Amino acid sequence: MKYKLIKVLSICLILSFLTGCWDQKLLKDTMFLSTVAYEKKKDKVISTIAIRSYTSKEGTLVNKTYHVAGDSPRDDRTKINQQVSGIVMSAKKRIVLFENQLAKEGVLELSDVLYRTSESPLTAKYVIVEGKPSTIVELQQVGEELIGEYLDGVVHTAEVNSLVPVETLQSLCTVLFDEGKGLALPYVKLNTENKTVDVIGTALFNEDKFSGITLNPEESKVLLLLGNQKGKYMIMSHKITIHDQQYVVSYDVSGAKAKMHLTPDAMYGAKVTIPLHVKVSINEFTKNEMSSPALTKKVQEEIEKILQKKAEKVVGKLQKANCDFLEIGREAAAYHPSIWKRLKWRQDYKNISINPKVQVEIIHRGIIN
């Protein structure tokens, strides 16, 4: 009897220390935000928000779009909560759109509320929009997809096909606070004719500010090759000239490996050489046959020339934008501390010498060859 009494008292004592559900948020009182677009008008931040809800008859998901103007994203959220019949949560937010002009003022300040809120989804994607991003959210849905799911699918497809770098809310923070790294985000615009969104390239950043310099899709692919960030697929196509005749050659990038050699330099502060070895599989060649080793070598040389020219152009744009996407600064800090300490990286990066060296190898010429 005494043992049972002690056991009961012990259980009661333990239960008194349990907090219970003191911080519950019921789903029936919650409205989930799927997409938000930020733009600026005078001194106000304009938020266009897509909130998912269910129709009363069929129980299907629909979007409701809200527009608010406030002093900050948190102020906008407070005003949204005054307009809806529930508590707005961002746990299912997938895409954050920024107007290109607003992004030039910096994205970190607008992101502060996301990093301080525990419900913020760390896998959300940032996208820069040419023009007003509110016009994209106002589409509400494209085909059978709601705008949040549609935009998430567009960005994911672009990442898989090596059109844009993979960047999330979580990884973006580590890039912005590291002096030896540079940020690049997907760049899109509204296709007014088809009422869809086109991925038109990559936006380059100087710290957290959009530099105004962009890469087109072909240049974006070369950027990812130089940074060893190729996605699952990468298909490229060029016009080449052989014996004064033009042909179209298309190929899959089967594999690529870029290395980095960094040395001190009296004139530029540092000299960087980036050997890039690209293995390709030909999947289209309008000359039809490609059985001759001499012809194969000529096609290989032509592709090499084109990629070399594009790589040099990409590096030039990176330095003009002061965007160290290739993480040369991290390489210097880790393996060449004397160079890192001598240079003020933010100021000196755009003046160092960066020389890509592209080498192409055709490993497959198609099933008929």
Side-chain angles (χ1 to χ4, degrees):
M1 183 68 182
K2 184 178 180 181
Y3 173 76
K4 288 184 178 179
L5 181 62
I6 293 173
K7 187 176 181 181
V8 170
L9 290 174
S10 299
I11 292 173
C12 292
L13 181 64
I14 293 171
L15 288 173
S16 68
F17 287 101
L18 297 179
T19 58
C21 297
W22 61 273
D23 192 28
Q24 65 178 345
K25 292 182 180 179
L26 300 178
L27 284 175
K28 67 183 182 69
D29 299 327
T30 302
M31 302 188 75
F32 288 105
L33 183 158
S34 64
T35 306
V36 60
Y38 294 122
E39 52 195 73
K40 199 162 187 180
K41 188 175 182 180
K42 296 182 179 179
D43 60 340
K44 295 291 185 180
V45 176
I46 312 296
S47 295
T48 304
I49 298 172
I51 293 178
R52 295 190 297 181
S53 60
Y54 289 91
T55 59
S56 57
K57 292 182 179 180
E58 300 174 359
T60 56
L61 277 170
V62 295
N63 261 346
K64 174 66 177 174
T65 304
Y66 296 85
H67 301 271
V68 290
D71 297 322
S72 69
R74 171 54 71 186
D75 188 32
D76 288 353
R77 179 76 69 83
T78 302
K79 291 181 178 180
I80 282 291
N81 279 323
Q82 296 168 1
Q83 299 179 30
V84 299
S85 59
I87 301 171
V88 176
M89 286 187 66
S90 60
K92 292 186 179 293
K93 179 166 58 182
R94 301 185 181 189
I95 298 291
V96 181
L97 304 175
F98 288 92
E99 179 190 22
N100 54 352
Q101 295 302 319
L102 177 60
K104 289 179 180 179
E105 299 178 18
V107 298
L108 187 57
E109 185 177 333
L110 293 170
S111 306
D112 183 78
V113 64
L114 299 177
Y115 289 117
R116 295 182 190 274
T117 307
S118 59
E119 69 186 43
S120 296
L122 296 180
T123 56
K125 305 291 179 67
Y126 277 26
V127 177
I128 309 303
V129 180
E130 185 180 272
K132 299 295 183 183
S134 57
T135 57
I136 293 177
V137 180
E138 287 167 357
L139 292 175
Q140 295 201 13
Q141 75 178 63
V142 177
E144 297 297 320
E145 295 179 294
L146 296 182
I147 192 63
E149 286 76 7
Y150 168 73
L151 290 173
D152 185 53
V154 168
V155 174
H156 177 70
T157 301
E159 292 171 347
V160 169
N161 288 290
S162 306
L163 291 174
V164 297
V166 179
E167 206 70 75
T168 64
L169 178 63
Q170 182 176 21
S171 62
L172 181 139
C173 184
T174 62
V175 173
L176 291 180
F177 288 102
D178 193 327
E179 191 176 353
K181 294 182 178 181
L183 179 65
L185 295 175
Y187 193 56
V188 306
K189 72 173 182 179
L190 175 67
N191 185 320
T192 55
E193 182 178 353
N194 297 325
K195 301 298 181 183
T196 55
V197 174
D198 293 339
V199 177
I200 57 175
T202 302
L204 302 180
F205 280 70
N206 179 6
E207 298 184 50
D208 75 317
K209 296 177 176 61
F210 174 40
S211 65
I213 298 171
T214 62
L215 303 177
N216 63 38
E218 288 296 305
E219 292 169 342
S220 298
K221 292 176 183 179
V222 175
L223 173 71
L224 296 180
L225 290 177
L226 290 170
N228 286 318
Q229 295 187 33
K230 184 183 90 69
K232 187 175 182 180
Y233 307 108
M234 183 182 286
I235 300 175
M236 304 186 79
S237 183
H238 312 300
K239 286 184 178 179
I240 62 174
T241 302
I242 299 176
H243 304 310
D244 299 324
Q245 290 190 20
Q246 271 202 341
Y247 302 98
V248 176
V249 59
S250 299
Y251 55 90
D252 294 316
V253 176
S254 303
K257 180 66 176 177
K259 297 182 179 179
M260 190 179 298
H261 304 303
L262 180 62
T263 56
D265 187 88
M267 181 178 293
Y268 301 104
K271 186 175 182 179
V272 184
T273 304
I274 305 176
L276 171 62
H277 184 72
V278 183
K279 295 181 179 181
V280 305
S281 298
I282 304 296
N283 54 31
E284 182 185 39
F285 183 51
T286 53
K287 189 176 171 58
N288 295 325
E289 58 85 22
M290 201 173 172
S291 57
S292 165
L295 180 59
T296 301
K297 185 178 180 182
K298 182 63 178 175
V299 172
Q300 187 171 282
E301 289 173 351
E302 290 298 314
I303 295 174
E304 200 169 275
K305 288 178 185 177
I306 293 171
L307 291 183
Q308 177 66 34
K309 188 175 180 179
K310 287 183 181 294
E312 291 171 358
K313 189 174 182 179
V314 167
V315 166
K317 284 189 173 184
L318 285 173
Q319 290 191 278
K320 186 178 180 181
N322 203 29
C323 175
D324 189 9
F325 179 83
L326 303 180
E327 300 185 7
I328 298 172
R330 294 297 303 155
E331 178 80 9
Y335 301 107
H336 305 274
S338 59
I339 297 176
W340 177 255
K341 291 176 182 177
R342 188 174 69 253
L343 299 177
K344 293 182 178 179
W345 199 252
R346 296 288 192 196
Q347 292 76 34
D348 296 333
Y349 165 73
K350 60 175 62 177
N351 299 319
I352 66 174
S353 173
I354 306 176
N355 302 297
K357 302 291 183 184
V358 180
Q359 180 186 5
V360 173
E361 178 186 357
I362 295 177
I363 61 172
H364 194 261
R365 297 176 293 177
I367 58 173
I368 64 172
N369 296 124

